[in-house]
Amino acid sequence: MEKTERSFLGTEKISTLMRKFAIPSIIAMLVSALYNIIDQLFIGQKVGIDGNAATNIAFPLTTLCIACALLFGIGGASCFNLSMGRGDKNRAAYFAGSSVSMQLIVGFILFISTEIFLHPILNLCGAEGGIVEEYASVYVRITSIGFPFMILTTGGGNLIRADGSPGITMLCSIIGAVINVILDALFIVVFGWGMAGAAWATVIGQIISAVIVIAYLCKFKTVSLTIKHFIPDFRCSKQIALIGMAAFFNQITIMVVQVVMNQLLRSYGDDSVYGATVTIAAAGIVMKVFQVFFSFIIGLSQGSQPIESYNYGARQYDRVRGALLMTLCLGGILSVAATIIFQVFPAEILSMFGEGDTVYMEFGVKFFRIFLFAVVVDFFQPVVSTFFTSIGKAYKGVFLSLTRQFIFFMPMLLIFSYLGGLDGILYAGPAADLSAFAVTLIMMGMELKSIRKLEKKESMAVS
């Protein structure tokens, strides 16, 4: 790509750039989300509801890994693109190298911590003892081996996309997912390894994806990366973490909410006609299906990130605004489609993950229709939060990333569950969605006004 990054990201039509970057990004994020869905499908069919409940107990750890990957991945990619937009290739190389190093360091720390504190972590995530905790222990002890590779695949994919190769990011995820599917069928169906088989299939797929990322990083296109660039630089790492903090907090709050929700589902589920295992298993399926939808939105947002970052750094504000508005329009279309599917076909979706009794299906359908009622506006907050991150306004991105999950949903979850039990947990979802949408709309409007002022100032300076 000696046709420089400036002549490409700064001059190509926005719609063309969105196709180039957003489609592979969406596919990559979708495939990443399908890692857990694939395991859930095989486990649901061959292990049953207890296995589904166990994977839901383990899910917060996956979210934590994604949070760390996005902290240094999106942060590194944004800093890289902002530096490239300003014409500082030397600085950009140090951002890329430090990003990769921090991803690996954090990945190994999470792996070791999980192995040492496995049972306290599972209890915190809502394990209730018995067969569910036993299944979760087997699954997490193995999948934790893959934490460094999962983080590098997700975080490194952002750097590869920033380097102008979104197709490689997509390829990494697809190859890992295909291997995961094949090995799931072999290990679970043929060999009958159950939870351990699902875990090993996941880890092997992640390792192979990470190897592809490493191979690409050795031949980065826009800048030359050498050993010195991979030595963690404190100033670069600090700036990367600051910029990536919005995406990180968004995932961390999701993880905290998952843990709290599992605890509430266990508590109120025990006192209901459904039972704790049914409520946790059904909720886990709903949340993972929601993550599939959300992967479209996150992929779309990440696809717009290089366009917004570069053009903001190059002071081409009309293109920054155009990329944001196009991303919002596409996100709105996806959200409308998801709303229709979740409201019309909840029973059919649940049945894909194994057959359950009438009580299980009743609660699962109810969870889908109430909890995801306002999913039609769920595209807005992540798109705008990523936008703020892309243009270097990390503090606004961090605030927005906290609105839905932490500022609104967490208090509503505790208050509504106290007042309405299981039904309160369900209604807290749409209430938080609508509240976060309102705040995001106001902040986006204010920022667009600010960009218009910068645009007028720039045009006056030129004239």
Side-chain angles (χ1 to χ4, degrees), residues 264 268 411-425 428:
L264 292 173
Y268 289 105
M412 289 177 177
L413 184 62
L414 296 172
I415 295 170
F416 286 21
S417 63
Y418 177 77
L419 296 175
L422 280 178
D423 285 348
I425 294 174

Side-chain angles (χ1 to χ4, degrees), residues 34 113 169 242 246 273 303 308 358 434 454:
L34 288 175
S113 299
T169 300
L242 180 64
V273 296
E308 294 165 350
T358 304
L434 294 171
L454 289 173

